[in-house]
Amino acid sequence: MHKLLEDCPGKKLFLLGNEAIARGALEAGVAVVTAYPGTPSSEISMYFFDISQETDLYFEYSTNEKVALEVAAATANSGVRSMCVMKHVGLNVAADALMTLAYLGVKAGLVIICADDPFMFSSQNEQDNRYYAKLSGLPMIEPSSVQESREMVQYAFELSETLQEPVIFRTTTRINHSTEVVPLGKISQRKISGDFEKDPFSYVAVPAVSRNLHAKLLKNIEKAEKLSDNSKYNLIKDGGDLGIICNGVSYLYVVDAIRELKIEDTVKTIRVGFSNPMPKKTIQNFLKGCKKVLVVEEGEPYMEETVKAFAQEAGLTLPIKGKGENLFSRLYEFDPVMVKQVISEDFDVPYTPTAAIDFSDVPELPQRPPSLCPGCSHRATFYVVKKAAEFMDFMCTTDIGCYTLGFFPPLSMGDFLICMGASIGTGCGFSKVTGKKVISIIGDSTFFHSGIPGLINAVFNNHNFTLVILDNGTTAMTGHQPHPGVDMKQLNLDGYRQVSIEEIVKAAGVSHVSLIKPFKVKKSIAVVREALEYQGISVIIAQEKCILYAKSLRQEKAKAFYISEKCKNHRNCINELACPAFFIEENRAKIDPALCVGCAVCAQICPENAILPLKNS
Amino acid sequence: MKTTRLIIVAVGGQGNLLASKVLGEAALISDIPVRMSEIHGMAQRGGVVESSMVFGDAESTIISNGDADVLLGFEPSETLRALNKCSLKTVVITNLSPLPPFTVATGQGVYPDIDQLKDLIRKKTKQLIAVNAVDLAKMAGNTMAVNMVLLGALIQTGILPLSAHNVKEAIKTRTRKDFVKTNLKAFDFGFGAVENMR
């Protein structure tokens, strides 16, 4: 049985934030979960993928976040509690559905889990998704800790049903990827099927209907404001007349700072856990008892601006500070000492931070950037494409996935990256105006997610570039989730069909399509060169399984190579491939047999043919 | 209850996530408040993996620069790099076996001299405990047990509010059954190695 299905209320488990969120949803009786994986939210989808195989809960990896939200919008409107899971930028993709779903509303609870990533540990931006709640008019719930997450997910489901609106549940990386002791509650009975009552004048968003629905949404926001004002998740702690307003993990840092600075008697706090609509009356009352107020929030001045507006309406003129010089930054994530320092300065509390360690006499340490794995098929494809394009003036638009790491030297394959699927659309633009040969790189899962419309655009508008689709048979970056191109039978799972990338590309009207096996270097270079020379849109599909995925399926070749006496120290292997299985010992290149997986790409590019398979590996 | 802050740094694949999980479980058994945060997105891609664990009275799950009471380093150059988390009050425990990053092979970086590295850490922190964890893990029967050796060394210092007994209980329940015996042996070797230093 899955760990999260254990039905023993009161038992304490050491749970990851994402586990606590999943558990909370199970306790709320969630029956449908849809997701597109993305760090830091991915584990939630993986638990539900497993759980759906042993229960009647329905889970699907949808092709992208927009589809995931649409599926969940329908199930929730059929009376089935549903949840949709994504990372912060996923909500950009789902935004089209989100904005009008807010007009339509839901019947059963729909909770949208949206995981923000301040500091961009694993993301292309650090947008603050609280503004989506404001933009859509939907309620937003924000926990501060792992423990609270379990409980507040359930509250979000109830709130969704009270208001008949989807609820956005916003976390940040430090909640998703923190671990705490969590006492379990009871798992509720799931209602797995429902019915949809036809009511086109409430559910078909044509202008005449939407005009009514928008008015309904505004009334709902008023109702939500009252609920926010009475919500127990807007926690108030009394103290003196110095006020702190905070949210999310910042609250934890504030609590620690107040205790360590011993200012419990002079400072009072409000932690906003119901952050859209903001609890207006509660905050206005809070402000009335304050001499000055500090707003502690990561990201944008979302609360600060609202609090200032509330103060203005109440005719209050106390100083309210948050973002600014010598205060808090809009950049990156906060930490306990940073919060302690700003509080001590703004509230004039004595505090001497620990002296920072002097690094002036520490030699510069070698960097340890993440890299493509030993035996990664992307490395082989990048090498092949680069060789084939050797004499061309080319640029490379890239996309989101492990292969983004190919932009590091020496592979240096990646000159422009915005978001999921953008390699193809930007390929169209660059090739139109630069006169350069444009090579676009996209992974298999990303192609399904949002690459296909770009490709159809390229065909219809007769663009001239080459698209390389890296088909490694899985969604590798986020931990090997399936996508529509995956052969689910290899995972011993029935009930799925497989979508062929090659057939889609051909059906889109691409007339030059070639397949390569990137570990066959010479042959692949010839095929790629021909595709690069083609006038018009040409597509290369590089097929080779992700080595980590192959290992998990026990399909790896696992025959390590070594560098023989014939080596003349050209080091093409190291300098052109940068495979982490290589190291230098006594000025000679060597291969670590524990890391080498026997892809044999280095053996094919060694000018002396000095790299050979180990006999007894 | 006193707050104790522990940073663990390692290179992807060294098993520090399992080590921190064991400590968390041990805290749960011991009824000691514990909070942990990890950045592990790049674990499989050879990057640095960092865990922070806060025991006792605190709400935060992360640890600011200069704020660690203990630093447990699985790889010497990464231990040195993580010194920004330390101060003169920090006890540092490190494995001594280098895993040079690939940038050393390509000549973009130079691996630090181990003796110099030890001197630097000693000078800038309260105490350095250096362990040949790979040798001890091999003696215990599995080179992969470096994490358990280092846990033994860490617990011996008595800085964490956890007993060896409870950490061993957590090893028994949280590590793979066929490795438990080796893991416990590795833990004892790490514990003993530090005991003998004193």
Side-chain angles (χ1 to χ4, degrees):
Chain A
M1 191 174 66
H2 196 280
K3 170 184 172 187
L4 294 175
L5 287 172
E6 208 178 346
D7 202 13
C8 41
K11 185 172 176 179
K12 286 179 178 175
L13 292 179
F14 193 48
L15 293 185
L16 188 68
N18 281 338
E19 288 177 313
I21 291 167
R23 174 70 192 199
L26 287 167
E27 289 179 10
V30 72
V32 171
V33 181
T34 62
Y36 186 82
T39 314
S41 76
S42 308
E43 293 88 354
I44 304 174
S45 58
M46 295 166 87
Y47 308 140
F48 281 111
F49 180 59
D50 291 344
I51 286 167
S52 71
Q53 284 157 36
E54 51 179 296
T55 63
D56 56 1
L57 181 142
Y58 178 74
F59 170 80
E60 72 168 44
Y61 283 116
S62 307
T63 42
N64 65 33
E65 295 84 354
K66 177 173 180 286
V67 176
L69 183 55
E70 290 157 354
V71 173
T75 53
N77 267 306
S78 306
V80 174
R81 279 198 168 181
S82 307
M83 187 162 92
C84 185
V85 185
M86 61 193 72
K87 69 181 292 174
H88 64 328
V89 286
L91 201 51
N92 299 335
V93 178
D96 203 2
L98 181 82
M99 295 304 296
T100 307
L101 178 60
Y103 281 23
L104 266 55
V106 291
K107 218 159 86 185
L110 170 56
V111 175
I112 300 164
I113 304 284
C114 152
D116 283 21
D117 189 18
F119 190 71
M120 299 162 276
F121 290 100
S122 260
S123 305
Q124 66 268 41
N125 75 27
E126 55 178 351
Q127 66 185 47
D128 186 335
N129 271 14
R130 290 179 295 174
Y131 288 101
Y132 266 119
K134 209 156 198 172
L135 184 64
S136 62
L138 292 178
M140 174 169 273
I141 298 300
E142 293 184 73
S144 289
S145 69
V146 173
Q147 234 184 56
E148 243 190 353
S149 299
R150 180 196 65 87
E151 188 183 318
M152 284 173 80
V153 164
Q154 300 177 64
Y155 175 70
F157 273 103
E158 285 157 25
L159 181 63
S160 170
E161 282 174 11
T162 308
L163 289 168
Q164 303 270 285
E165 290 285 4
V167 169
I168 306 175
F169 189 87
R170 175 187 181 254
T171 60
T172 54
T173 304
R174 295 302 186 173
I175 288 172
N176 299 92
H177 286 171
S178 282
T179 311
E180 280 176 22
V181 177
V182 180
L184 303 182
K186 196 168 168 36
I187 292 184
S188 302
Q189 182 78 34
R190 276 179 290 278
K191 178 176 176 282
I192 58 161
S193 61
D195 192 20
F196 177 73
E197 269 172 54
K198 288 186 185 183
D199 180 8
F201 290 94
S202 296
Y203 290 114
V204 179
V206 294
V209 173
S210 288
R211 284 181 200 116
N212 296 332
L213 294 179
H214 192 192
K216 183 192 83 173
L217 174 64
L218 295 188
K219 275 194 189 140
N220 249 347
I221 295 174
E222 273 175 39
K223 242 196 263 175
E225 198 178 295
K226 280 191 192 121
L227 292 173
S228 180
D229 260 322
N230 292 312
S231 173
K232 65 171 175 177
Y233 293 108
N234 294 323
L235 303 167
I236 300 178
K237 257 197 201 136
D238 277 326
D241 54 7
L242 298 171
I244 292 180
I245 299 175
C246 55
N247 75 323
V249 291
S250 305
Y251 171 62
L252 309 179
Y253 311 153
V254 166
V255 171
D256 284 348
I258 290 176
R259 194 189 58 248
E260 285 167 28
L261 295 170
K262 300 190 173 64
I263 49 174
E264 290 94 339
D265 297 338
T266 48
V267 175
K268 64 173 183 173
T269 58
I270 173 162
R271 191 289 308 264
V272 178
F274 192 141
S275 55
N276 191 61
M278 290 272 282
K280 189 173 171 176
K281 279 196 186 128
T282 312
I283 286 180
Q284 284 173 335
N285 283 335
F286 181 86
L287 294 177
K288 278 176 195 156
C290 290
K291 197 165 67 181
K292 65 197 287 193
V293 160
L294 188 60
V295 183
V296 189
E297 56 186 327
E298 289 179 329
E300 303 299 323
Y302 170 89
M303 294 199 296
E304 184 186 341
E305 285 168 355
T306 309
V307 169
K308 283 175 176 168
F310 288 167
Q312 201 274 342
E313 279 179 49
L316 299 165
T317 54
L318 76 166
I320 298 166
K321 290 190 209 163
K323 304 286 173 184
E325 235 175 283
N326 300 323
L327 290 161
F328 291 109
S329 173
R330 288 161 68 168
L331 296 172
Y332 319 137
E333 66 167 359
F334 289 0
D335 66 74
V337 167
M338 168 208 283
V339 169
K340 208 172 1 177
Q341 224 151 355
V342 176
I343 292 175
S344 73
E345 274 162 39
D346 199 51
F347 289 172
D348 220 4
V349 185
Y351 166 62
T352 324
T354 321
I357 284 197
D358 172 22
F359 267 84
S360 61
D361 57 345
V362 175
E364 198 185 328
L365 291 169
Q367 290 302 305
R368 197 185 293 272
S371 61
L372 297 170
C373 304
C376 173
S377 55
H378 300 331
R379 176 181 296 104
T381 305
F382 285 139
Y383 177 84
V384 160
V385 173
K386 222 176 144 175
K387 276 285 161 206
E390 200 162 32
F391 303 109
M392 291 177 169
D393 176 19
F394 78 95
M395 73 169 289
C396 178
T397 61
T398 187
D399 227 300
I400 309 272
C402 293
Y403 51 91
T404 316
L405 292 171
F407 94 103
F408 281 121
L411 296 167
S412 306
M413 290 293 280
D415 300 304
F416 199 81
L417 168 69
I418 319 178
C419 63
M420 293 284 284
S423 59
I424 309 181
T426 57
C428 295
F430 282 120
S431 60
K432 187 51 83 184
V433 299
T434 63
K436 276 189 168 54
K437 173 70 202 180
V438 174
I439 301 170
S440 299
I441 308 280
I442 196 166
D444 42 4
S445 189
T446 309
F447 177 72
F448 285 113
H449 176 281
S450 48
I452 295 169
L455 181 63
I456 293 172
N457 180 69
V459 173
F460 172 67
N461 289 307
N462 211 9
H463 283 285
N464 179 19
F465 64 98
T466 299
L467 172 65
V468 182
I469 303 175
L470 303 168
D471 181 6
N472 64 355
T474 188
T475 314
M477 184 77 198
T478 45
H480 303 119
Q481 295 83 1
H483 62 63
V486 171
D487 179 2
M488 298 295 275
K489 286 193 199 81
Q490 294 197 349
L491 297 166
N492 298 319
L493 291 172
D494 292 327
Y496 295 92
R497 291 177 61 193
Q498 189 179 5
V499 181
S500 155
I501 293 177
E502 184 186 356
E503 282 171 27
I504 287 187
V505 171
K506 284 182 175 159
V510 177
S511 36
H512 197 288
V513 184
S514 26
L515 304 181
I516 59 167
K517 295 278 177 197
F519 289 166
K520 294 184 174 159
V521 175
K522 210 168 155 190
K523 201 171 159 194
S524 297
I525 292 175
V527 173
V528 172
R529 193 164 285 153
E530 204 226 303
L532 292 178
E533 280 160 6
Y534 180 79
Q535 288 299 305
I537 173 88
S538 59
V539 173
I540 298 155
I541 305 171
Q543 295 172 322
E544 185 65 51
K545 259 204 192 89
C546 162
I547 183 65
L548 297 178
Y549 184 55
K551 274 186 189 168
S552 73
L553 296 174
R554 300 180 184 279
Q555 292 177 350
E556 83 272 31
K557 298 172 195 86
K559 192 161 199 176
F561 280 60
Y562 75 105
I563 302 182
S564 69
E565 306 292 294
K566 288 198 276 178
C567 169
K568 291 202 174 138
N569 237 352
H570 295 283
R571 296 201 187 167
N572 293 24
C573 48
I574 289 186
N575 295 334
E576 295 183 23
L577 292 176
C579 171
F582 284 86
F583 63 100
I584 303 283
E585 202 173 73
E586 288 159 6
N587 202 29
R588 306 293 297 179
K590 298 228 161 129
I591 296 174
D592 182 346
L595 291 177
C596 177
V597 296
C599 72
V601 172
C602 56
Q604 296 169 64
I605 72 159
C606 174
E608 305 295 334
N609 291 319
I611 305 179
L612 304 168
L614 271 172
K615 291 228 168 75
N616 301 314
S617 71
Chain B
M1 189 187 170
K2 193 178 157 262
T3 312
T4 310
R5 297 184 170 90
L6 161 71
I7 292 274
I8 307 181
V9 285
V11 174
Q14 281 191 301
N16 76 313
L17 297 183
L18 181 61
S20 52
K21 208 163 141 188
V22 165
L23 289 177
E25 286 295 333
L28 177 58
I29 304 171
S30 321
D31 217 13
I32 300 285
V34 60
R35 292 179 166 76
M36 170 166 99
S37 178
E38 284 165 340
I39 291 301
H40 43 68
M42 293 299 164
Q44 288 179 322
R45 290 160 196 91
V48 185
V49 191
E50 185 187 291
S51 315
S52 63
M53 300 192 77
V54 184
F55 300 87
D57 288 337
E59 300 292 329
S60 310
T61 68
I62 62 171
I63 298 170
S64 303
N65 287 352
D67 230 14
D69 297 295
V70 204
L71 166 65
L72 182 64
F74 280 47
E75 200 282 337
S77 73
E78 293 311 327
T79 309
L80 185 57
R81 203 193 306 275
L83 229 49
N84 60 336
K85 292 285 178 194
C86 302
S87 71
L88 280 169
K89 293 179 195 154
T90 312
V91 173
V92 179
I93 301 160
T94 190
N95 175 23
L96 282 176
S97 316
L99 283 174
F102 190 74
T103 49
V104 172
T106 52
Q108 294 162 276
V110 181
Y111 197 85
D113 175 74
I114 292 288
D115 286 328
Q116 189 198 358
L117 177 147
K118 287 190 336 199
D119 287 342
L120 283 166
I121 298 175
R122 255 186 223 119
K123 202 168 78 184
K124 293 170 193 295
T125 59
K126 185 175 167 191
Q127 188 190 0
L128 170 68
I129 298 168
V131 186
N132 285 310
V134 174
D135 293 352
L136 294 172
K138 271 186 204 155
M139 266 169 60
N142 185 357
T143 43
M144 296 299 288
V146 165
N147 51 359
M148 297 297 138
V149 172
L150 291 169
L151 279 188
L154 170 68
I155 294 305
Q156 202 287 332
T157 63
I159 301 168
L160 296 191
L162 300 174
S163 67
H165 177 265
N166 283 356
V167 175
K168 284 182 175 179
E169 282 305 306
I171 292 175
K172 283 180 203 162
T173 55
R174 289 296 137 185
T175 69
R176 264 179 55 186
K177 274 209 179 79
D178 35 342
F179 290 151
V180 167
K181 228 172 136 185
T182 318
N183 285 342
L184 291 173
K185 216 168 165 185
F187 178 89
D188 284 338
F189 285 170
F191 194 95
V194 179
E195 219 168 21
N196 293 335
M197 282 177 201
R198 303 200 153 193

